[in-house]
Amino acid sequence: MDVNERLRLLTRNLEEVVTLEELKSKVSTGEKLKGYIGFEPSGPFHLGWLIWARKLSDMQKAGVQMNVLIATWHAWINDKMGGDMDKIKLVGKYTIEVLGQVGVDTASLKVLDAENFVEDKEYWKLVLNVAKNTSLARMKRAMTIMGRKAEEAELDTSKLIYPAMQVSDIFYMDLDLALGGIDQRKAHMLARDVADKLGKKKVIGMHVPLLVGLQGGSRMNLEEDEALSTVKMSKSKPETAIFVHDSPEEVERKIKMAYCPAGQVDGNPILGINRYIIFGEDGETLTVERPAKYGGDVKFESYEELERAYVDGKVHPLDLKAATARKVNQILEPVRKHLSNRSEFDALIRNIVSNVTR
Ligand SMILES: Nc1ncnc2c1ncn2[C@@H]1O[C@H](COP(=O)(O)OP(=O)(O)OP(=O)(O)O)[C@@H](O)[C@H]1O
Ligand SMILES: N[C@@H](Cc1ccc(O)cc1)C(=O)O
């Protein structure tokens, strides 16, 4: 694969790369790059996660050695799953299983558990060195990477250590590329800023856009990072999320109830699903089916075409919702089927949804 094709795969559908120039220069050397994404195993896989899972797969196709960090200890710090490490680990296994069903090459994927990092004194040396080079104010501000506000450090000091751990994960693995949603930006910027002082590589941040939750909402009037975590689709807010195990009827019901004002793009989760999930793959289309008296069926070949028609009032919200639900169900069908044959995960996930701890 030539350099241009590798770069196209690496950068398509991203919100930002920090920095693109560094990425271009690394890719052009032809050396094998090492990348990662970390996640807290604390709930079911939702549509938003599909955005980074596909990017992970793009990175693999572009020849990057990808690692996935199951952030077990981070989940514990963040009060997930009632602090039950056995459950946290099982959810980790489930998530890797789902990744294998959504296009990630799990054979070449290196799966790591934070549990193994914390056994090593060198890891804690890194954590303390990152802390020594970071002001208290900055560490607090970085707490949005765990979906928390800076003030929450006042309640429980363990939470202040989390950003230093996430930065140390990057150094410990000696990574070139760090993948995550745009809400993870502060961790990657902090890693870049302290890298020189600690003699470590300056990691390149690859940030995917965040899918808005079904409740919708725009970022206006809120401090940027807080706004992102309030409006994004999130596993801790099951009512805002479409999960990969949801039945076709549940998907239809959730989409029917979703926020989708006529003609409005900003904060509209149904258009977000079209933009990032349905049209996130090359060559995808959406067919809106309607009786002839309402204009008949119409097929969209690109997200831009669909958005224009919606803004111009040529597509009714209910018709858009029905078409979106049909397409989402097609995308989820293979995953749903696979999970229904893995009864240990199926039961676990249903149990988690009804007992979310945050
Ligand atoms: N709605 C979303 N769209 C795209 N990416 C997301 C979304 N939500 C989370 N991510 C990304 O998924 C990774 C794991 O995030 P995280 O564990 O915080 O997910 P979450 O669903 O928001 O969970 P929680 O509700 O527990 O915070 C991060 O890189 C994050 O940026
Ligand atoms: N902070 C990430 C999880 C994470 C933890 C450790 C990492 O090294 C990377 C990512 C989240 O909330 O989703």
Side-chain angles (χ1 to χ4, degrees), residues 256-267:
K256 215 177 225 166
M257 286 171 53
Y259 178 76
C260 186
Q264 187 181 312
V265 178
D266 187 36

Side-chain angles (χ1 to χ4, degrees), residues 23-53:
L23 181 68
K24 282 182 181 163
S25 128
K26 280 229 174 185
V27 169
S28 68
T29 64
E31 70 181 88
K32 182 94 182 156
L33 302 181
K34 238 172 117 179
Y36 102 123
I37 182 154
F39 69 90
E40 286 182 13
S42 62
F45 204 109
H46 58 74
L47 270 192
W49 281 27
L50 208 53
I51 302 179
W52 63 253

Side-chain angles (χ1 to χ4, degrees), residues 20 34 71 83 87-88 100 126 141 148 210 223 280 292 310 313 315:
L20 187 58
K34 238 172 117 179
K87 275 195 188 155
I88 290 174
L126 277 172
R141 281 202 305 276
R148 302 270 181 181
L210 295 180
E223 203 258 315
Y310 193 69
V315 176

Side-chain angles (χ1 to χ4, degrees), residues 119-173:
E119 284 164 2
D120 186 352
K121 192 168 84 180
E122 289 307 310
Y123 178 74
W124 291 109
K125 200 166 157 188
L126 277 172
V127 173
L128 293 179
N129 263 322
V130 171
K132 273 183 162 296
N133 285 284
T134 309
S135 71
L136 179 60
R138 183 156 187 196
M139 203 70 96
K140 281 184 174 177
R141 281 202 305 276
M143 280 173 52
T144 50
I145 63 167
M146 53 196 292
R148 302 270 181 181
K149 299 190 181 90
E151 307 89 82
E152 290 181 78
E154 308 294 330
L155 302 171
D156 167 359
T157 322
S158 76
K159 310 228 169 354
L160 260 184
I161 304 168
Y162 184 121
M165 285 173 69
Q166 189 162 330
V167 169
S168 302
D169 298 337
I170 292 170
F171 295 152
Y172 191 70
M173 287 183 266

